[in-house]
Amino acid sequence: MDMFVVRGGRPLRGAVAMSGSKNASLPIMAAVLAVEGPVTLRNVPHLADVTTLASLLTRLGVDIRRTENDELRLEVVDASACVAPYDLVRRMRASICVLGPLLGRRRRACVSLPGGCNIGHRPIDLHLRGLAALGAEISVERGYVLAKADRLRGAVVDLSGPTGSTVTGTCNVLTAACFAEGRSVLTGAACEPEVVDLGEFLIAAGAAINGLGTSTIEVDGGPTLHGTRHAVIPDRIEAATFLIAAAITRGDLRIDNVRADHLSAVIETLRQIGVRIEREGFGLRVSMGDALRPAEVCALPYPGFPTDVQAQLSALLSLAPGTSVVTDHVFPDRFLHLPELCRLGADIRREGASGIIHGVPQFSGASVMASDLRASAALLLAAPGDSVIRRIYHLDRGYERLEDKLRPLGADICRVTDAAENVPLTLVPPLEPCDTAGPPPPKFLQPRSITAELPDHPI
């Protein structure tokens, strides 16, 4: 297992290009299961999650290959398999996105309940309720979702939940609805750019969809979807992470291949905190103002502040004088990074779905452990001096060659094998000499003669 050794505190300067969106690539790749003919995708990032989903799609009969110009070509060559096994689905929650495409085109699916990051309870009842509304027979047995339908029928499907719309649920129902007879109306649908990107891919493949980017999506079902080409949108969460990286190191970055319109809430929040962000052509220029200011921020479904940037923002606000409050209404339990930030010197306490942050002048080096994907990024941004970040396999799931992008900008970061000899000695605090004399031990702990207590009779 790998870990990062970081010698932080250096301002990041230069230009960096963002990769394609992980959260858009995965449902689009899964939707290929519903397409007849070859599909070519551009801007799909090299990530562990992409590799995991590619393995699952291969098991489900999809031929996948990378071309010399880094395009991803996919085509269904065997439409008989319908089982998405636990050993693959457990690694990544987005694997559940194969459920809708399998049901839509193959009319049956057996998909393991998903795994993923430890950020709280994330049920899939809205997925199942939506597919059932389209006419599917749904059951859950032995940890698997069993779905079948001789035919799907258009219906009004409500996808709103107690913490907002379901993104992956919208993706599942949207793809399945492309095969339903008549019109389907998805109310309470997710508005995220990644859902819009999936919808635009399906439209390019022949689907009839209206209302993308709003909470009401209309789908007129048809018999087939055909092969097509599609370019995945830039990753807005990676872009937000680099915006915060520039601010937390007091650097000066130009971020290219970015959609500023997908980052409105992030840009507005960072400007309120004291970060300078300006548009430059098709990119963004970010630098620090005179001082950080505290803020109260609430993570909400799009177009609100993204829950996937909550951890990174918490790291930045830890350096803002005064008291800040970060609340997450999307995943109220997504705060496992707070104790690790405190190991780096942050002053944060959790109260329910909020982190109460008291600003500190600076962080200090320490060994920390990542609990999930975005927590990994937050710890990397906060790490000063000599620091060690373990369990970085979380980071590899969602950031493409992150250390290779950071080094040219001035970061001192090294990926090494997780071993004691790779931990900087500066992380071990000096100890005062121990007083080895001390008082005598209690009587019942003092040594005594064993032979004197042996029974006085022959063996």
Side-chain angles (χ1 to χ4, degrees):
M1 192 177 297
D2 290 346
M3 67 182 188
F4 279 148
V5 176
V6 185
R7 293 173 175 84
R10 302 183 181 186
L12 299 181
R13 303 186 187 280
V16 60
M18 298 297 95
S19 301
S21 168
K22 173 184 86 81
N23 291 337
S25 296
L26 298 177
I28 291 173
M29 289 174 61
V32 171
L33 289 165
V35 175
E36 296 182 15
V39 170
T40 300
L41 299 178
R42 292 188 291 111
N43 214 26
V44 176
H46 294 260
L47 300 172
D49 275 9
V50 170
T51 301
T52 297
L53 184 59
S55 298
L56 176 57
L57 294 178
T58 300
R59 183 82 67 94
L60 293 170
V62 181
D63 178 67
I64 305 176
R65 61 191 66 187
R66 286 264 186 187
T67 67
E68 292 182 357
N69 56 349
D70 206 29
E71 293 179 334
L72 201 64
R73 292 189 178 174
L74 310 92
E75 184 174 6
V76 175
V77 293
D78 181 1
S80 61
C82 293
V83 178
Y86 171 75
D87 65 313
L88 289 173
V89 178
R90 68 180 174 85
R91 303 180 195 173
M92 181 182 64
R93 181 174 176 79
S95 298
I96 195 66
C97 283
V98 304
L99 179 59
L102 285 175
L103 183 64
R105 183 178 176 193
R106 304 184 188 182
R107 293 294 190 259
R108 57 196 179 97
C110 178
V111 181
S112 171
L113 292 171
C117 282
N118 183 19
I119 59 175
H121 184 48
R122 296 182 288 171
I124 62 167
D125 56 315
L126 295 176
H127 303 232
L128 306 187
R129 188 177 74 189
L131 296 173
L134 296 177
E137 297 178 22
I138 306 286
S139 63
V140 179
E141 300 179 18
R142 300 182 181 182
Y144 280 80
V145 175
L146 305 179
K148 62 179 181 178
D150 292 333
R151 68 189 183 100
L152 297 174
R153 301 177 300 276
V156 176
V157 181
D158 182 14
L159 293 170
S160 57
T163 58
S165 303
T166 166
V167 174
T168 51
T170 301
C171 292
N172 260 326
V173 178
L174 176 61
T175 307
C178 293
F179 294 86
E181 298 174 5
R183 173 168 292 185
S184 297
V185 180
L186 281 54
T187 63
C191 304
E192 273 74 0
E194 296 80 12
V195 175
V196 175
D197 205 28
L198 169 64
E200 291 179 346
F201 165 76
L202 293 171
I203 291 171
I209 302 173
N210 290 295
L212 292 172
T214 74
S215 59
T216 301
I217 302 176
E218 296 181 350
V219 186
D220 290 315
T224 61
L225 297 176
H226 56 74
T228 187
R229 297 177 62 88
H230 181 78
V232 175
I233 58 174
D235 196 314
R236 63 189 175 105
I237 306 303
E238 183 187 27
T241 301
F242 272 88
L243 288 173
I244 294 174
I248 208 167
T249 64
R250 305 193 71 83
D252 187 343
L253 286 183
R254 177 188 164 90
I255 301 176
D256 295 317
N257 190 35
V258 60
R259 288 279 300 268
D261 56 321
H262 293 169
L263 290 163
S264 298
V266 173
I267 292 173
E268 180 182 354
T269 298
L270 292 179
R271 283 174 174 166
Q272 290 175 356
I273 292 171
V275 183
R276 295 194 189 103
I277 302 176
E278 304 294 336
R279 293 197 185 196
E280 282 194 0
F282 294 101
L284 292 172
R285 183 72 173 269
V286 55
S287 60
M288 259 309 298
D290 294 332
L292 288 171
R293 296 185 290 270
E296 293 188 10
V297 182
C298 184
L300 295 166
Y302 190 84
F305 192 89
T307 178
D308 280 350
V309 189
Q310 178 255 108
Q312 301 92 305
L313 182 71
S314 297
L316 177 61
L317 288 174
S318 293
L319 298 178
T323 301
S324 298
V325 180
V326 176
T327 303
D328 197 328
H329 283 316
V330 181
F331 295 121
D333 292 324
R334 194 177 198 167
F335 287 102
L336 293 179
H337 52 280
L338 297 188
E340 299 303 299
L341 284 174
C342 289
R343 286 181 59 83
L344 292 170
D347 183 357
I348 312 175
R349 74 177 189 277
R350 180 181 172 183
E351 290 187 2
S354 300
I356 312 301
I357 304 171
H358 301 285
V360 297
Q362 62 185 17
F363 291 115
S364 57
S367 291
V368 293
M369 189 107 44
S371 57
D372 63 74
L373 168 55
R374 305 307 173 184
S376 306
L379 295 175
L380 181 59
L381 300 188
D386 282 339
S387 296
V388 169
I389 304 172
R390 289 185 163 88
R391 291 185 181 173
I392 60 172
Y393 59 84
H394 289 295
L395 200 72
D396 295 334
R397 290 184 46 232
Y399 292 92
E400 183 178 30
R401 307 186 313 274
L402 184 57
E403 66 267 38
D404 293 338
K405 288 185 177 182
L406 286 170
R407 284 196 200 99
L409 304 176
D412 188 345
I413 176 173
C414 182
R415 180 187 292 256
V416 299
T417 302
D418 188 349
E421 59 267 23
N422 289 324
V423 177
L425 291 177
T426 54
L427 294 180
V428 181
L431 297 177
E432 296 296 329
C434 296
D435 184 1
T436 56
K443 186 175 182 181
F444 68 89
L445 290 180
Q446 294 180 13
R448 57 185 177 178
S449 172
I450 296 178
T451 55
E453 296 182 4
L454 291 176
D456 189 15
H457 61 261
I459 297 175

